[in-house]
């Protein structure tokens, strides 16, 4: 599959066309941004870690019945994905308070949420991805009621599956962000699933193994991404070259 014209460059990834009009190549960069790109930096080998972690998690989720845009991993930093039209919404599911929810409601971090909290955000860098509800979405025509129901149920399926996956690896899944796209009349899970888009705390010690190490200048950022990759891949991590 040849890499064609660059379609789009985002903060952490680049999308290229391929020989197949229905398939794109998603390339993962080492660039890191936080606080709506006010903070910028580089996390060495982040692209390799996030590509491999996303590939493994999309494959795992497909096995659990979640339909995703993932086609296959091509190399260390790229994967083939179906060419979806991204729904301009970001879903957040929170199992433990942290980040935005702690700030919004003045609640300390680390409190287990029962039931988990589901949030819609409007995908807009200019507006800082504001928190919205179903009525905002329907009134603006960003998605249909049927699509919202589908995205919500798929998101909870992802939460159940990923919570169990990380629990086995002694990691607490604190929260995460998902994006979905339309492809031939169906809704597919899209974008990436990585320590850039999830909060992951080591079970017991609550050591942060995610982008909060970069956001909050906690140090050992690269080591945290590599540790997540190691735990996600399990025995297969023996074969990891560049990310060691
Ligand atoms: O900042 P906040 O607490 O709302 O983030 C919730 C989750 O969504 C975190 O895991 C964060 O990494 C992720 N997120 C993201 N992209 C954004 C905003 C948040 O991946 N634009």
């Amino acid at each position: 599959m040849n890499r064609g014209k660059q379609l789009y460059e985002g903060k952490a990834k680049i999308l290229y066309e391929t020989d197949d009009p229905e398939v794109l190549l998603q390339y993962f960069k080492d660039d890191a941004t936080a606080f709506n790109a006010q903070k910028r930096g580089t996390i060495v080998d982040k692209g390799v870690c996030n590509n491999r972690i996303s590939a493994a998690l999309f494959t795992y989720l497909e096995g659990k019945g979640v339909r995703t845009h993932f086609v296959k991993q091509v190399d260390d930093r790229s994967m083939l994905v179906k060419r979806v039209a991204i729904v301009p919404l970001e879903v957040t599911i929170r199992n433990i308070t942290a980040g935005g929810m702690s700030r919004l409601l003045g609640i300390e971090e680390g409190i287990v949420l029962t039931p988990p909290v589901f949030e819609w955000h409007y995908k807009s860098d200019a507006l800082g991805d504001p928190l919205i509800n179903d009525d905002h979405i329907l009134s603006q025509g960003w998605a249909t009621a049927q699509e919202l129901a589908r995205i919500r149920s798929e998101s909870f399926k992802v939460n159940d599956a990923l919570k169990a996956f990380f629990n086995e690896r002694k990691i607490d899944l604190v929260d995460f962000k998902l994006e979905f796209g339309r492809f031939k009349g169906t809704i597919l899970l899209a974008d990436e699933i990585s320590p850039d888009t999830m909060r992951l705390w080591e079970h017991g010690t609550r050591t942060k193994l995610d982008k909060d190490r970069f956001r909050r200048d906690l140090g050992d950022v690269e080591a945290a991404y590599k540790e997540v990759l190691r735990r996600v891949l399990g025995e297969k991590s023996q074969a990891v070259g560049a990310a060691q």
Side-chain angles (χ1 to χ4, degrees), residues 147-165:
E147 286 175 329
L148 293 193
R150 170 86 191 164
I151 291 173
R152 195 181 154 97
S153 66
E154 288 292 279
S155 298
F156 276 109
K157 213 193 278 180
V158 170
N159 189 39
D160 289 344
L162 289 186
K163 257 201 306 197
F165 180 91

Side-chain angles (χ1 to χ4, degrees), residues 11-109:
K11 286 173 275 192
K13 299 187 289 299
I14 306 176
L15 287 173
Y16 297 92
E17 288 184 333
T18 68
D19 301 338
D20 183 341
E22 290 183 352
V23 173
L24 299 179
L25 187 123
Q26 177 163 262
Y27 175 90
F28 290 74
K29 302 190 285 182
D30 285 350
D31 300 352
T33 62
F35 312 117
N36 208 8
Q38 286 173 51
K39 181 181 169 104
R40 290 172 184 274
T42 301
I43 300 172
V44 175
D45 280 344
K46 174 170 82 83
V48 176
C49 293
N50 285 0
N51 182 44
R52 291 178 169 181
I53 292 167
S54 291
L57 294 181
F58 281 133
T59 303
Y60 167 75
L61 289 171
E62 287 276 356
K64 298 284 171 189
V66 178
R67 297 193 59 189
T68 81
H69 73 156
F70 180 70
V71 177
K72 68 169 186 173
Q73 190 182 325
V74 176
D75 58 32
D76 261 1
R77 288 180 181 270
S78 9
M79 60 171 62
L80 296 178
V81 296
K82 290 182 183 136
R83 185 179 194 148
V84 302
I86 289 286
V87 178
L89 302 171
E90 296 190 351
V91 164
T92 303
I93 292 194
R94 302 179 188 273
N95 297 305
I96 298 175
T97 55
M101 179 167 170
S102 290
R103 277 195 304 278
L104 183 73
L105 301 177
I107 306 171
E108 66 178 292
E109 297 203 333

Side-chain angles (χ1 to χ4, degrees), residues 90 92 94 98-100 129 175-177 196-199 215:
E90 296 190 351
T92 303
R94 302 179 188 273
D129 304 330
D175 58 31
F176 58 89
K177 184 267 301 185
D196 273 10
T197 64
M198 298 181 280
R199 284 197 175 89
R215 293 187 187 103

Side-chain angles (χ1 to χ4, degrees), residues 174-193:
V174 174
D175 58 31
F176 58 89
K177 184 267 301 185
L178 301 176
E179 295 185 29
F180 291 84
R182 300 183 181 99
F183 182 78
K184 298 184 176 181
T186 59
I187 290 284
L188 302 181
L189 177 61
D191 195 51
E192 67 177 286
I193 312 176

